[in-house]
Amino acid sequence: MTLKRLSVVLLACLTLSACGGVDPNSPLGQRKAIFKQMLKTGEDLGGMLRGRIAFDGARFAEGAVKLDSLSHEPWKHFPAVKEEDHTSATDDVWRRQARFQELARTLEAATGELVTVSQVQPYKASNLGPAVQKVEDACSACHKEFRNH
């Protein structure tokens, strides 16, 4: 009987530990999903410019538009008070909200500029490269100030 009880307890513990993920409908889940899409899109754009992915001008321009659209989304999923869930955001997101919003607008402006330069043909790395770098720098600046890792 003891082995049977131990097995049931062990199974229950394993089942509960598998449920430790983030609720995809929570603010944290929503913004994580958006940030992942932004990362993938940005990596594709950078990959095209750095030769990891074959350059496709139309696909690059579409990616720039997608990244610009995504860049306006995650901020609305940061609640007024920090949630209890494990988050990579530091407490400064909530303590220094003006600075956080400033960096969000900087990213949005950079992705908007990327859309503009991605419409210029013929496509030139000399035009696209600095715009992609500006987006990457905007992401990095925010991560340095407001992300745990």
Side-chain angles (χ1 to χ4, degrees):
M1 192 70 158
T2 306
L3 182 59
K4 189 175 184 179
R5 282 186 191 168
L6 182 62
S7 296
V8 169
V9 170
L10 183 59
L11 182 60
C13 288
L14 288 173
T15 301
L16 289 175
S17 69
C19 297
V22 175
D23 176 3
N25 296 316
S26 70
L28 176 60
Q30 293 286 316
R31 67 181 186 253
K32 277 186 163 211
I34 294 166
F35 284 136
K36 283 181 183 178
Q37 290 177 42
M38 289 173 68
L39 178 63
K40 170 72 171 114
T41 304
E43 285 178 343
D44 287 350
L45 297 177
M48 281 189 224
L49 290 179
R50 294 177 183 104
R52 288 190 316 266
I53 300 171
F55 186 83
D56 177 331
R59 203 168 123 223
F60 188 95
E62 288 171 10
V65 169
K66 179 179 179 182
L67 187 59
D68 183 49
S69 176
L70 288 167
S71 76
H72 295 268
E73 295 300 312
W75 324 118
K76 63 185 172 189
H77 299 290
F78 281 90
V81 177
K82 184 177 180 180
E83 61 270 88
E84 295 297 317
D85 295 330
H86 174 70
T87 175
S88 298
T90 66
D91 291 342
D92 280 346
V93 167
W94 291 271
R95 285 192 294 238
R96 297 176 51 223
Q97 190 58 215
R99 176 66 177 153
F100 182 68
Q101 292 299 323
E102 176 186 342
L103 291 175
R105 300 301 82 79
T106 299
L107 174 62
E108 293 169 357
T111 60
E113 290 175 30
L114 179 60
V115 169
T116 300
V117 299
S118 72
Q119 304 303 312
V120 177
Q121 293 186 22
Y123 297 108
K124 294 181 183 176
S126 59
N127 291 341
L128 300 172
V132 167
Q133 188 61 55
K134 195 170 186 178
V135 170
E136 291 173 351
D137 291 346
C139 290
S140 181
C142 192
H143 287 187
K144 285 178 184 171
E145 285 191 49
F146 295 106
R147 191 167 185 221
N148 282 326
H149 54 356

